[in-house]
Amino acid sequence: MNGSGTGAAGGGEGTRAVRAGLPEPVKYEPTLPGPVFAAHFHLPGDPTGPYTYGRDENPTWTLLERAVGELEAPGQDGVETLVFASGMAAISSVLFSQLRAGDTVVLPSDGYQALPLVRAQLEAYGIEVRTAPTGNDAQLDVLDGARLVWLETPSNPGLDVCDVRRLAEAAHARGALVAVDNTLATPLGQRPLELGADFSVASGTKQLTGHGDVLLGYVVGRDAGAMTAVRRWRKIVGAIPGPMETWLAHRSLATLQLRVDRQCATALAVAEALREQPEVSGLRYPGLPGDPSHAVASRQMRRYGCVVSFTLPTRARAERFLQALRLVDEATSFGGVRSTAERRGRWGGDAVPEGFVRLSVGAEDPEDLVADVLRAVRESAT
């Protein structure tokens, strides 16, 4: 881990989330120190200390990095965490620090919408990109010769799940590294490093911070050489988070378990209610016993996430559904304490039907949210 502190690595998840990354208590000092705004630090003589220049390190980053490491890999030694300005900055740091011209990378064909942009840039640098769907571990068929395998599980927005252990074992047998996008699951949903991955990468913008007011990303890894390359990439590109955003993210971790438990339980309730609606098709939520991904998700996930996806018969029906919602904001992104939804096809780029809806369940009362969603389904029929 990055340094030492009062994090309770051996305690329950709620205790860990509340105390993760906190420094040792000092009389008259705050429990969580405020953000450090500094472009440079006092540095007489040779630069031997941890903080030299604001693009390299910051004490506020250190505390959050320690906290995220305690959540992603509790009790594990030799794990390093690095925070970034956004989830895409974190994703890019792994891909572009680990791959060279002539290498091959495997990406999910049904992953986050920005991955096609990443693919184009990788190919421009002379890197071969192969893709396969997340479901049914289809990426197994295109592993040979790959340098890096990128998994996104559950996938966004389709919510397919792949078997991380199985894919990691197969990739490592072929000499490939494995990175898992853990954004939708969060560290309380699954721990990719424990499942065999080399990197766990996520957008902290989403449920990790949970309030829709911070852009942030992180990378967690256990291989010192690989993480050195990631750190070098962060320095070269300057994809660093601001101290205020970093502090807000750390503050938000204290309620992570409370938020995740509430949101996941309500997401299941919403999914169960939608399952009874005849005009709803393609309903996906890994926590539903009948979901195609439920079996593998149950083996590797402790919580199933806050996102439910489904399809209404037409684009116009989906638009009317969204307009009829009263407790759900129409917005892109997910994981916030206020429920959001969108017709995902409005952006293009995702292989989804025109009536496909991605619903992110917030922290509202479950009965109120279920009632609002069902009412909007009924009203949108006319």
Side-chain angles (χ1 to χ4, degrees):
M1 301 294 177
N2 292 357
S4 60
T6 62
E13 289 182 324
T15 302
R16 189 178 302 122
V18 167
R19 303 200 61 80
L22 298 183
E24 295 295 338
V26 176
K27 191 174 184 179
Y28 306 126
E29 293 294 325
T31 305
L32 176 62
V36 175
F37 298 97
H40 59 268
F41 302 83
H42 287 296
L43 193 65
D46 293 331
T48 56
Y51 304 111
T52 58
Y53 186 66
R55 191 182 62 246
D56 298 330
E57 289 289 351
N58 179 290
T60 312
W61 302 354
T62 299
L63 296 180
L64 178 61
E65 287 170 343
R66 181 188 302 157
V68 171
E70 290 173 3
L71 296 176
E72 283 273 358
Q76 296 187 39
D77 295 326
V79 172
E80 183 176 1
T81 303
L82 297 171
V83 292
F84 290 82
S86 68
M88 280 308 303
I91 289 170
S92 300
S93 75
V94 173
L95 291 168
F96 291 104
S97 70
Q98 304 303 312
L99 297 168
R100 303 288 184 271
D103 285 345
T104 297
V105 61
V106 176
L107 300 179
S109 59
D110 54 344
Y112 180 52
Q113 190 184 51
L115 286 182
L117 299 176
V118 175
R119 174 178 185 164
Q121 192 62 54
L122 289 166
E123 290 175 337
Y125 288 159
I127 296 163
E128 179 187 352
V129 179
R130 302 176 190 160
T131 62
T134 298
N136 299 312
D137 300 339
Q139 288 167 292
L140 284 171
D141 296 332
V142 292
L143 292 183
D144 288 347
R147 164 65 180 160
L148 177 66
V149 179
W150 191 273
L151 309 178
E152 185 179 302
T153 181
S155 61
N156 173 29
L159 302 183
D160 267 324
V161 173
C162 61
D163 188 329
V164 176
R165 284 191 181 92
R166 183 186 183 199
L167 282 157
E169 289 174 1
H172 291 157
R174 292 164 172 81
L177 296 168
V178 176
V180 175
D181 187 329
N182 204 34
T183 302
L184 201 145
T186 81
L188 299 192
Q190 69 187 3
R191 297 177 188 143
L193 297 190
E194 292 181 0
L195 298 171
D198 301 287
F199 302 98
S200 181
V201 187
S203 168
T205 307
K206 309 298 193 296
Q207 197 172 20
L208 188 84
T209 55
H211 292 81
D213 55 8
V214 169
L215 287 172
L216 196 87
Y218 68 80
V219 178
V220 184
R222 64 162 51 91
D223 182 272
M227 289 303 291
T228 295
V230 174
R231 180 184 291 273
R232 184 185 304 118
W233 181 263
R234 182 177 72 174
K235 178 174 181 174
I236 292 169
V237 177
I240 58 172
M244 189 65 194
E245 291 80 2
T246 306
W247 183 86
L248 284 169
H250 197 168
R251 176 216 57 179
S252 298
L253 291 184
T255 61
L256 180 61
Q257 188 205 35
L258 300 174
R259 291 185 281 106
V260 167
D261 281 350
R262 174 64 167 261
Q263 290 170 271
C264 290
T266 306
L268 179 59
V270 169
E272 289 172 336
L274 287 170
R275 185 172 52 184
E276 306 303 319
Q277 303 302 303
E279 293 183 88
V280 170
S281 63
L283 176 66
R284 296 301 304 270
Y285 183 67
L288 277 175
D291 187 273
S293 294
H294 183 70
V296 63
S298 296
R299 292 197 298 270
Q300 68 188 21
M301 299 183 73
R302 304 187 309 287
R303 295 169 177 84
Y304 300 104
C306 64
V307 177
V308 178
S309 67
F310 58 95
T311 300
L312 292 170
T314 65
R315 171 176 178 167
R317 177 71 183 274
E319 296 285 5
R320 292 197 300 271
F321 166 77
L322 294 169
Q323 292 166 9
L325 291 165
R326 297 170 184 166
L327 298 179
V328 182
D329 297 329
E330 189 169 356
T332 192
S333 197
F334 57 85
V337 292
R338 289 172 291 278
S339 293
T340 61
E342 68 174 337
R343 190 183 67 80
R344 192 62 185 164
R346 65 180 176 169
W347 298 101
D350 288 315
V352 296
E354 285 292 314
F356 180 95
V357 174
R358 184 182 71 182
L359 172 63
S360 171
V361 172
E364 298 89 357
D365 286 317
E367 298 82 3
D368 292 340
L369 188 61
V370 168
D372 189 46
V373 169
L374 294 183
R375 182 194 49 75
V377 170
R378 291 192 301 270
E379 290 184 4
S380 65
T382 59

